[in-house]
Short mmCIF file of all heavy atoms in Angstrom, two decimals:
data_model
loop_
_atom_site.label_atom_id
_atom_site.label_comp_id
_atom_site.label_asym_id
_atom_site.label_seq_id
_atom_site.Cartn_x
_atom_site.Cartn_y
_atom_site.Cartn_z
N GLY H 247 0.61 -26.71 23.14
CA GLY H 247 0.78 -27.63 24.27
C GLY H 247 -0.52 -28.30 24.69
O GLY H 247 -0.51 -29.42 25.22
N LEU H 248 -1.64 -27.62 24.46
CA LEU H 248 -2.94 -28.22 24.80
C LEU H 248 -3.17 -29.50 23.99
O LEU H 248 -3.91 -30.39 24.40
CB LEU H 248 -4.08 -27.24 24.51
CG LEU H 248 -4.18 -25.98 25.36
CD1 LEU H 248 -5.26 -25.05 24.80
CD2 LEU H 248 -4.48 -26.33 26.82
N TYR H 249 -2.53 -29.56 22.80
CA TYR H 249 -2.71 -30.72 21.91
C TYR H 249 -1.52 -31.68 21.95
O TYR H 249 -1.48 -32.63 21.18
CB TYR H 249 -2.89 -30.22 20.46
CG TYR H 249 -4.22 -29.53 20.24
CD1 TYR H 249 -4.36 -28.16 20.41
CD2 TYR H 249 -5.34 -30.28 19.88
CE1 TYR H 249 -5.59 -27.55 20.22
CE2 TYR H 249 -6.57 -29.67 19.69
CZ TYR H 249 -6.69 -28.30 19.86
OH TYR H 249 -7.91 -27.70 19.68
N ALA H 250 -0.53 -31.37 22.81
CA ALA H 250 0.71 -32.15 22.79
C ALA H 250 0.69 -33.28 23.82
O ALA H 250 -0.05 -33.23 24.80
CB ALA H 250 1.90 -31.22 23.05
N ASP H 251 1.53 -34.23 23.57
CA ASP H 251 1.75 -35.31 24.50
C ASP H 251 2.68 -34.80 25.60
O ASP H 251 3.74 -34.25 25.28
CB ASP H 251 2.42 -36.44 23.69
CG ASP H 251 2.32 -37.76 24.41
OD1 ASP H 251 1.43 -37.89 25.27
OD2 ASP H 251 3.14 -38.64 24.11
N GLY H 252 2.30 -34.90 26.86
CA GLY H 252 3.18 -34.48 27.96
C GLY H 252 3.04 -33.00 28.28
O GLY H 252 2.06 -32.35 27.91
N ASP H 253 4.07 -32.48 28.96
CA ASP H 253 4.02 -31.09 29.45
C ASP H 253 4.73 -30.14 28.48
O ASP H 253 5.77 -30.47 27.93
CB ASP H 253 4.72 -30.98 30.80
CG ASP H 253 3.95 -31.70 31.89
OD1 ASP H 253 2.79 -32.11 31.62
OD2 ASP H 253 4.49 -31.86 32.99
N THR H 254 4.19 -28.96 28.35
CA THR H 254 4.84 -27.89 27.59
C THR H 254 5.17 -26.77 28.56
O THR H 254 4.29 -26.31 29.30
CB THR H 254 3.91 -27.37 26.46
OG1 THR H 254 3.66 -28.45 25.57
CG2 THR H 254 4.55 -26.20 25.71
N CYS H 255 6.44 -26.35 28.57
CA CYS H 255 6.87 -25.29 29.49
C CYS H 255 7.57 -24.20 28.70
O CYS H 255 8.33 -24.49 27.76
CB CYS H 255 7.87 -25.84 30.52
SG CYS H 255 7.16 -27.09 31.60
N VAL H 256 7.32 -22.97 29.07
CA VAL H 256 7.98 -21.83 28.43
C VAL H 256 8.59 -20.97 29.54
O VAL H 256 7.91 -20.60 30.50
CB VAL H 256 6.99 -20.97 27.61
CG1 VAL H 256 7.73 -19.84 26.91
CG2 VAL H 256 6.23 -21.82 26.60
N THR H 257 9.89 -20.67 29.39
CA THR H 257 10.56 -19.78 30.33
C THR H 257 10.76 -18.44 29.64
O THR H 257 11.26 -18.40 28.51
CB THR H 257 11.93 -20.36 30.74
OG1 THR H 257 11.69 -21.66 31.31
CG2 THR H 257 12.64 -19.49 31.77
N GLU H 258 10.32 -17.37 30.29
CA GLU H 258 10.44 -16.05 29.65
C GLU H 258 11.59 -15.25 30.26
O GLU H 258 11.80 -15.30 31.47
CB GLU H 258 9.12 -15.28 29.67
CG GLU H 258 8.33 -15.32 30.94
CD GLU H 258 6.94 -14.69 30.80
OE1 GLU H 258 6.51 -14.37 29.69
OE2 GLU H 258 6.29 -14.52 31.84
#
Side-chain angles (χ1 to χ4, degrees):
L248 293 173
Y249 289 91
D251 197 21
D253 291 350
T254 298
C255 296
V256 183
T257 302
E258 42 189 9

